[in-house]
């Protein structure tokens, strides 16, 4: 079971976007995640008249390493480690600091 899932509220713990919060929009293979509004880059896009795409410079969210983000605990309002335990035959993620289950 992964410690991060799509829709989780995370906080960036290192890099140029340190201390920013966002929601995970995609989890990619190779331990990378895409977070809404984080790690934005400017991309030069070539126009494609066949599909009606306009060219120019667009902002795009790029993947960030999963080790550079941590799950945000709203109770403590800090980054928190995540553990996995089995409750009634089902794996459940929980915050290590409080022991409470992560609401998915």
């Amino acid at each position: 079971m992964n410690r991060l899932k799509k829709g989780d509220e995370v906080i960036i713990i290192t890099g140029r976007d340190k201390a920013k919060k966002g929601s995970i929009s995609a989890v990619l293979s190779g331990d990378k995640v895409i977070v809404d509004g984080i790690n934005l880059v400017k991309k030069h896009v070539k126009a494609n008249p066949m599909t009606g795409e306009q060219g120019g410079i667009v902002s795009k969210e790029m993947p960030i390493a999963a080790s550079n983000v941590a799950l945000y605990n709203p109770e403590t309002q800090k980054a928190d480690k995540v553990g996995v335990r089995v409750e009634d035959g089902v794996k459940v993620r929980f915050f290590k600091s409080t022991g409470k289950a992560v609401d998915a």
Side-chain angles (χ1 to χ4, degrees), residues 30-67:
D31 290 337
K32 295 207 179 256
V33 295
I34 296 178
V35 182
D36 294 330
I38 305 293
N39 201 22
L40 293 175
V41 295
K42 301 283 187 181
K43 296 289 282 185
H44 294 260
V45 179
K46 190 173 182 178
N48 187 351
M50 296 293 285
T51 60
E53 288 182 34
Q54 190 175 11
I57 302 172
V58 297
S59 287
K60 182 180 179 184
E61 296 158 347
M62 295 299 284
I64 186 168
S67 62

mmCIF file of all heavy atoms in Angstrom, residues 30-67:
data_model
loop_
_atom_site.group_PDB
_atom_site.id
_atom_site.type_symbol
_atom_site.label_atom_id
_atom_site.label_comp_id
_atom_site.label_asym_id
_atom_site.label_seq_id
_atom_site.Cartn_x
_atom_site.Cartn_y
_atom_site.Cartn_z
ATOM 1 N N GLY A 30 7.486 5.053 -10.542
ATOM 2 C CA GLY A 30 8.817 5.563 -10.270
ATOM 3 C C GLY A 30 8.851 6.553 -9.130
ATOM 4 O O GLY A 30 9.728 7.405 -9.067
ATOM 5 N N ASP A 31 7.899 6.468 -8.210
ATOM 6 C CA ASP A 31 7.855 7.321 -7.015
ATOM 7 C C ASP A 31 7.837 8.811 -7.337
ATOM 8 O O ASP A 31 8.623 9.580 -6.792
ATOM 9 C CB ASP A 31 9.018 6.992 -6.082
ATOM 10 C CG ASP A 31 8.866 5.644 -5.419
ATOM 11 O OD1 ASP A 31 7.724 5.178 -5.321
ATOM 12 O OD2 ASP A 31 9.887 5.069 -4.997
ATOM 13 N N LYS A 32 6.954 9.207 -8.218
ATOM 14 C CA LYS A 32 6.763 10.627 -8.521
ATOM 15 C C LYS A 32 5.287 10.957 -8.403
ATOM 16 O O LYS A 32 4.433 10.114 -8.633
ATOM 17 C CB LYS A 32 7.269 10.954 -9.921
ATOM 18 C CG LYS A 32 8.770 10.781 -10.058
ATOM 19 C CD LYS A 32 9.312 11.672 -11.129
ATOM 20 C CE LYS A 32 10.800 11.499 -11.237
ATOM 21 N NZ LYS A 32 11.521 12.590 -10.655
ATOM 22 N N VAL A 33 5.011 12.196 -8.019
ATOM 23 C CA VAL A 33 3.634 12.665 -7.896
ATOM 24 C C VAL A 33 3.504 14.023 -8.569
ATOM 25 O O VAL A 33 4.479 14.757 -8.706
ATOM 26 C CB VAL A 33 3.186 12.770 -6.416
ATOM 27 C CG1 VAL A 33 3.139 11.423 -5.755
ATOM 28 C CG2 VAL A 33 4.077 13.711 -5.636
ATOM 29 N N ILE A 34 2.288 14.344 -8.993
ATOM 30 C CA ILE A 34 1.985 15.663 -9.523
ATOM 31 C C ILE A 34 1.040 16.327 -8.530
ATOM 32 O O ILE A 34 -0.009 15.776 -8.198
ATOM 33 C CB ILE A 34 1.352 15.582 -10.917
ATOM 34 C CG1 ILE A 34 2.357 14.981 -11.909
ATOM 35 C CG2 ILE A 34 0.896 16.953 -11.383
ATOM 36 C CD1 ILE A 34 1.828 14.806 -13.308
ATOM 37 N N VAL A 35 1.448 17.498 -8.044
ATOM 38 C CA VAL A 35 0.683 18.227 -7.039
ATOM 39 C C VAL A 35 0.130 19.497 -7.680
ATOM 40 O O VAL A 35 0.844 20.207 -8.393
ATOM 41 C CB VAL A 35 1.575 18.584 -5.826
ATOM 42 C CG1 VAL A 35 0.768 19.296 -4.756
ATOM 43 C CG2 VAL A 35 2.223 17.340 -5.252
ATOM 44 N N ASP A 36 -1.159 19.775 -7.438
ATOM 45 C CA ASP A 36 -1.813 20.949 -8.022
ATOM 46 C C ASP A 36 -1.114 22.231 -7.580
ATOM 47 O O ASP A 36 -0.959 22.484 -6.390
ATOM 48 C CB ASP A 36 -3.285 21.009 -7.596
ATOM 49 C CG ASP A 36 -4.096 19.864 -8.160
ATOM 50 O OD1 ASP A 36 -3.749 19.379 -9.252
ATOM 51 O OD2 ASP A 36 -5.077 19.459 -7.511
ATOM 52 N N GLY A 37 -0.691 23.042 -8.552
ATOM 53 C CA GLY A 37 -0.105 24.349 -8.270
ATOM 54 C C GLY A 37 1.328 24.324 -7.788
ATOM 55 O O GLY A 37 1.867 25.361 -7.408
ATOM 56 N N ILE A 38 1.968 23.166 -7.797
ATOM 57 C CA ILE A 38 3.343 23.037 -7.305
ATOM 58 C C ILE A 38 4.251 22.603 -8.457
ATOM 59 O O ILE A 38 3.851 21.848 -9.328
ATOM 60 C CB ILE A 38 3.429 22.004 -6.160
ATOM 61 C CG1 ILE A 38 2.463 22.362 -5.035
ATOM 62 C CG2 ILE A 38 4.846 21.866 -5.631
ATOM 63 C CD1 ILE A 38 2.781 23.627 -4.291
ATOM 64 N N ASN A 39 5.508 23.080 -8.442
ATOM 65 C CA ASN A 39 6.522 22.737 -9.443
ATOM 66 C C ASN A 39 6.061 23.145 -10.839
ATOM 67 O O ASN A 39 6.136 22.369 -11.787
ATOM 68 C CB ASN A 39 6.857 21.244 -9.386
ATOM 69 C CG ASN A 39 8.204 20.930 -10.004
ATOM 70 O OD1 ASN A 39 9.057 21.803 -10.113
ATOM 71 N ND2 ASN A 39 8.393 19.699 -10.405
ATOM 72 N N LEU A 40 5.594 24.382 -10.958
ATOM 73 C CA LEU A 40 5.150 24.907 -12.250
ATOM 74 C C LEU A 40 6.357 25.320 -13.085
ATOM 75 O O LEU A 40 7.297 25.929 -12.574
ATOM 76 C CB LEU A 40 4.241 26.124 -12.053
ATOM 77 C CG LEU A 40 2.893 25.864 -11.400
ATOM 78 C CD1 LEU A 40 2.167 27.170 -11.157
ATOM 79 C CD2 LEU A 40 2.048 24.953 -12.251
ATOM 80 N N VAL A 41 6.319 24.979 -14.370
ATOM 81 C CA VAL A 41 7.361 25.380 -15.304
ATOM 82 C C VAL A 41 6.700 25.995 -16.538
ATOM 83 O O VAL A 41 5.525 25.741 -16.815
ATOM 84 C CB VAL A 41 8.256 24.197 -15.728
ATOM 85 C CG1 VAL A 41 9.028 23.655 -14.540
ATOM 86 C CG2 VAL A 41 7.453 23.108 -16.385
ATOM 87 N N LYS A 42 7.444 26.799 -17.259
ATOM 88 C CA LYS A 42 6.963 27.401 -18.503
ATOM 89 C C LYS A 42 7.396 26.503 -19.654
ATOM 90 O O LYS A 42 8.563 26.152 -19.771
ATOM 91 C CB LYS A 42 7.557 28.795 -18.704
ATOM 92 C CG LYS A 42 7.238 29.763 -17.596
ATOM 93 C CD LYS A 42 5.840 30.278 -17.717
ATOM 94 C CE LYS A 42 5.623 31.382 -16.692
ATOM 95 N NZ LYS A 42 4.298 31.911 -16.731
ATOM 96 N N LYS A 43 6.443 26.101 -20.473
ATOM 97 C CA LYS A 43 6.735 25.251 -21.631
ATOM 98 C C LYS A 43 6.368 26.017 -22.899
ATOM 99 O O LYS A 43 5.317 26.650 -22.960
ATOM 100 C CB LYS A 43 5.918 23.954 -21.575
ATOM 101 C CG LYS A 43 6.240 23.050 -20.408
ATOM 102 C CD LYS A 43 7.585 22.391 -20.526
ATOM 103 C CE LYS A 43 7.509 21.233 -21.485
ATOM 104 N NZ LYS A 43 8.751 20.472 -21.568
ATOM 105 N N HIS A 44 7.219 25.913 -23.911
ATOM 106 C CA HIS A 44 6.937 26.500 -25.216
ATOM 107 C C HIS A 44 6.193 25.457 -26.038
ATOM 108 O O HIS A 44 6.701 24.368 -26.268
ATOM 109 C CB HIS A 44 8.233 26.912 -25.910
ATOM 110 C CG HIS A 44 8.941 28.023 -25.201
ATOM 111 N ND1 HIS A 44 8.854 29.321 -25.602
ATOM 112 C CD2 HIS A 44 9.717 28.026 -24.093
ATOM 113 C CE1 HIS A 44 9.558 30.085 -24.778
ATOM 114 N NE2 HIS A 44 10.094 29.316 -23.858
ATOM 115 N N VAL A 45 4.972 25.791 -26.442
ATOM 116 C CA VAL A 45 4.121 24.847 -27.157
ATOM 117 C C VAL A 45 3.963 25.313 -28.598
ATOM 118 O O VAL A 45 3.650 26.476 -28.850
ATOM 119 C CB VAL A 45 2.735 24.743 -26.476
ATOM 120 C CG1 VAL A 45 1.831 23.792 -27.230
ATOM 121 C CG2 VAL A 45 2.893 24.297 -25.035
ATOM 122 N N LYS A 46 4.190 24.389 -29.513
ATOM 123 C CA LYS A 46 4.032 24.691 -30.932
ATOM 124 C C LYS A 46 2.555 24.589 -31.303
ATOM 125 O O LYS A 46 1.857 23.683 -30.862
ATOM 126 C CB LYS A 46 4.854 23.699 -31.753
ATOM 127 C CG LYS A 46 4.961 24.030 -33.209
ATOM 128 C CD LYS A 46 5.922 23.085 -33.907
ATOM 129 C CE LYS A 46 6.060 23.443 -35.373
ATOM 130 N NZ LYS A 46 7.014 22.564 -36.058
ATOM 131 N N ALA A 47 2.095 25.510 -32.138
ATOM 132 C CA ALA A 47 0.701 25.517 -32.563
ATOM 133 C C ALA A 47 0.409 24.308 -33.445
ATOM 134 O O ALA A 47 1.258 23.850 -34.195
ATOM 135 C CB ALA A 47 0.393 26.790 -33.324
ATOM 136 N N ASN A 48 -0.805 23.767 -33.317
ATOM 137 C CA ASN A 48 -1.241 22.648 -34.142
ATOM 138 C C ASN A 48 -2.608 22.996 -34.728
ATOM 139 O O ASN A 48 -3.635 22.802 -34.088
ATOM 140 C CB ASN A 48 -1.316 21.366 -33.306
ATOM 141 C CG ASN A 48 -1.601 20.150 -34.141
ATOM 142 O OD1 ASN A 48 -1.917 20.251 -35.316
ATOM 143 N ND2 ASN A 48 -1.503 18.983 -33.522
ATOM 144 N N PRO A 49 -2.624 23.509 -35.980
ATOM 145 C CA PRO A 49 -3.901 23.928 -36.561
ATOM 146 C C PRO A 49 -4.862 22.774 -36.833
ATOM 147 O O PRO A 49 -6.063 22.977 -36.917
ATOM 148 C CB PRO A 49 -3.490 24.622 -37.862
ATOM 149 C CG PRO A 49 -2.102 24.199 -38.133
ATOM 150 C CD PRO A 49 -1.498 23.801 -36.837
ATOM 151 N N MET A 50 -4.352 21.560 -36.934
ATOM 152 C CA MET A 50 -5.216 20.404 -37.179
ATOM 153 C C MET A 50 -6.164 20.155 -36.004
ATOM 154 O O MET A 50 -7.306 19.749 -36.192
ATOM 155 C CB MET A 50 -4.376 19.146 -37.433
ATOM 156 C CG MET A 50 -3.527 19.220 -38.694
ATOM 157 S SD MET A 50 -4.518 19.231 -40.188
ATOM 158 C CE MET A 50 -4.993 17.538 -40.269
ATOM 159 N N THR A 51 -5.670 20.362 -34.783
ATOM 160 C CA THR A 51 -6.511 20.143 -33.602
ATOM 161 C C THR A 51 -7.013 21.453 -33.004
ATOM 162 O O THR A 51 -7.740 21.446 -32.015
ATOM 163 C CB THR A 51 -5.729 19.366 -32.518
ATOM 164 O OG1 THR A 51 -4.579 20.122 -32.137
ATOM 165 C CG2 THR A 51 -5.315 17.999 -33.023
ATOM 166 N N GLY A 52 -6.577 22.584 -33.561
ATOM 167 C CA GLY A 52 -7.030 23.880 -33.066
ATOM 168 C C GLY A 52 -6.247 24.374 -31.865
ATOM 169 O O GLY A 52 -6.663 25.321 -31.206
ATOM 170 N N GLU A 53 -5.112 23.742 -31.545
ATOM 171 C CA GLU A 53 -4.292 24.174 -30.412
ATOM 172 C C GLU A 53 -3.528 25.424 -30.785
ATOM 173 O O GLU A 53 -2.953 25.523 -31.860
ATOM 174 C CB GLU A 53 -3.301 23.073 -30.016
ATOM 175 C CG GLU A 53 -3.932 21.883 -29.348
ATOM 176 C CD GLU A 53 -2.906 20.851 -28.929
ATOM 177 O OE1 GLU A 53 -1.784 21.245 -28.551
ATOM 178 O OE2 GLU A 53 -3.225 19.663 -28.985
ATOM 179 N N GLN A 54 -3.526 26.375 -29.863
ATOM 180 C CA GLN A 54 -2.817 27.619 -30.078
ATOM 181 C C GLN A 54 -1.416 27.488 -29.487
ATOM 182 O O GLN A 54 -1.242 26.875 -28.435
ATOM 183 C CB GLN A 54 -3.567 28.763 -29.414
ATOM 184 C CG GLN A 54 -3.044 30.126 -29.774
ATOM 185 C CD GLN A 54 -3.904 31.222 -29.195
ATOM 186 O OE1 GLN A 54 -4.765 30.968 -28.376
ATOM 187 N NE2 GLN A 54 -3.655 32.445 -29.621
ATOM 188 N N GLY A 55 -0.435 28.052 -30.172
ATOM 189 C CA GLY A 55 0.941 28.004 -29.687
ATOM 190 C C GLY A 55 1.208 29.085 -28.672
ATOM 191 O O GLY A 55 0.390 29.975 -28.457
ATOM 192 N N GLY A 56 2.360 29.011 -28.031
ATOM 193 C CA GLY A 56 2.749 30.029 -27.066
ATOM 194 C C GLY A 56 3.434 29.410 -25.865
ATOM 195 O O GLY A 56 3.886 28.263 -25.896
ATOM 196 N N ILE A 57 3.510 30.181 -24.801
ATOM 197 C CA ILE A 57 4.150 29.738 -23.557
ATOM 198 C C ILE A 57 3.054 29.434 -22.550
ATOM 199 O O ILE A 57 2.220 30.289 -22.256
ATOM 200 C CB ILE A 57 5.099 30.816 -23.021
ATOM 201 C CG1 ILE A 57 6.176 31.141 -24.073
ATOM 202 C CG2 ILE A 57 5.758 30.352 -21.725
ATOM 203 C CD1 ILE A 57 7.036 32.329 -23.720
ATOM 204 N N VAL A 58 3.055 28.215 -22.022
ATOM 205 C CA VAL A 58 2.039 27.806 -21.045
ATOM 206 C C VAL A 58 2.719 27.321 -19.764
ATOM 207 O O VAL A 58 3.826 26.812 -19.792
ATOM 208 C CB VAL A 58 1.124 26.686 -21.601
ATOM 209 C CG1 VAL A 58 0.340 27.170 -22.799
ATOM 210 C CG2 VAL A 58 1.921 25.457 -21.961
ATOM 211 N N SER A 59 2.029 27.504 -18.634
ATOM 212 C CA SER A 59 2.507 26.967 -17.358
ATOM 213 C C SER A 59 2.005 25.543 -17.214
ATOM 214 O O SER A 59 0.837 25.268 -17.497
ATOM 215 C CB SER A 59 2.007 27.800 -16.190
ATOM 216 O OG SER A 59 2.682 29.022 -16.135
ATOM 217 N N LYS A 60 2.877 24.661 -16.777
ATOM 218 C CA LYS A 60 2.526 23.249 -16.656
ATOM 219 C C LYS A 60 3.080 22.705 -15.344
ATOM 220 O O LYS A 60 4.178 23.083 -14.926
ATOM 221 C CB LYS A 60 3.129 22.484 -17.846
ATOM 222 C CG LYS A 60 2.803 21.028 -17.887
ATOM 223 C CD LYS A 60 3.431 20.363 -19.101
ATOM 224 C CE LYS A 60 3.098 18.884 -19.101
ATOM 225 N NZ LYS A 60 3.752 18.172 -20.190
ATOM 226 N N GLU A 61 2.306 21.819 -14.704
ATOM 227 C CA GLU A 61 2.768 21.171 -13.476
ATOM 228 C C GLU A 61 3.622 19.980 -13.850
ATOM 229 O O GLU A 61 3.212 19.133 -14.638
ATOM 230 C CB GLU A 61 1.584 20.718 -12.637
ATOM 231 C CG GLU A 61 0.739 21.859 -12.150
ATOM 232 C CD GLU A 61 -0.668 21.451 -11.784
ATOM 233 O OE1 GLU A 61 -1.086 20.332 -12.136
ATOM 234 O OE2 GLU A 61 -1.349 22.266 -11.166
ATOM 235 N N MET A 62 4.811 19.892 -13.283
ATOM 236 C CA MET A 62 5.715 18.786 -13.563
ATOM 237 C C MET A 62 5.781 17.870 -12.335
ATOM 238 O O MET A 62 5.482 18.286 -11.215
ATOM 239 C CB MET A 62 7.114 19.316 -13.897
ATOM 240 C CG MET A 62 7.154 20.134 -15.177
ATOM 241 S SD MET A 62 6.673 19.211 -16.639
ATOM 242 C CE MET A 62 8.131 18.250 -16.908
ATOM 243 N N PRO A 63 6.180 16.612 -12.553
ATOM 244 C CA PRO A 63 6.266 15.674 -11.423
ATOM 245 C C PRO A 63 7.316 16.092 -10.401
ATOM 246 O O PRO A 63 8.308 16.734 -10.737
ATOM 247 C CB PRO A 63 6.658 14.356 -12.087
ATOM 248 C CG PRO A 63 6.343 14.513 -13.522
ATOM 249 C CD PRO A 63 6.462 15.968 -13.827
ATOM 250 N N ILE A 64 7.072 15.711 -9.164
ATOM 251 C CA ILE A 64 8.011 15.949 -8.071
ATOM 252 C C ILE A 64 8.213 14.609 -7.364
ATOM 253 O O ILE A 64 7.300 13.792 -7.299
ATOM 254 C CB ILE A 64 7.483 17.042 -7.118
ATOM 255 C CG1 ILE A 64 8.519 17.404 -6.063
ATOM 256 C CG2 ILE A 64 6.182 16.647 -6.479
ATOM 257 C CD1 ILE A 64 8.165 18.666 -5.294
ATOM 258 N N ALA A 65 9.403 14.371 -6.870
ATOM 259 C CA ALA A 65 9.709 13.104 -6.206
ATOM 260 C C ALA A 65 8.848 12.940 -4.957
ATOM 261 O O ALA A 65 8.630 13.897 -4.208
ATOM 262 C CB ALA A 65 11.183 13.037 -5.842
ATOM 263 N N ALA A 66 8.349 11.745 -4.749
ATOM 264 C CA ALA A 66 7.473 11.476 -3.601
ATOM 265 C C ALA A 66 8.213 11.673 -2.281
ATOM 266 O O ALA A 66 7.596 11.968 -1.259
ATOM 267 C CB ALA A 66 6.912 10.067 -3.689
ATOM 268 N N SER A 67 9.539 11.543 -2.299
ATOM 269 C CA SER A 67 10.316 11.739 -1.074
ATOM 270 C C SER A 67 10.380 13.207 -0.674
ATOM 271 O O SER A 67 10.756 13.528 0.456
ATOM 272 C CB SER A 67 11.736 11.200 -1.256
ATOM 273 O OG SER A 67 12.397 11.903 -2.295
#
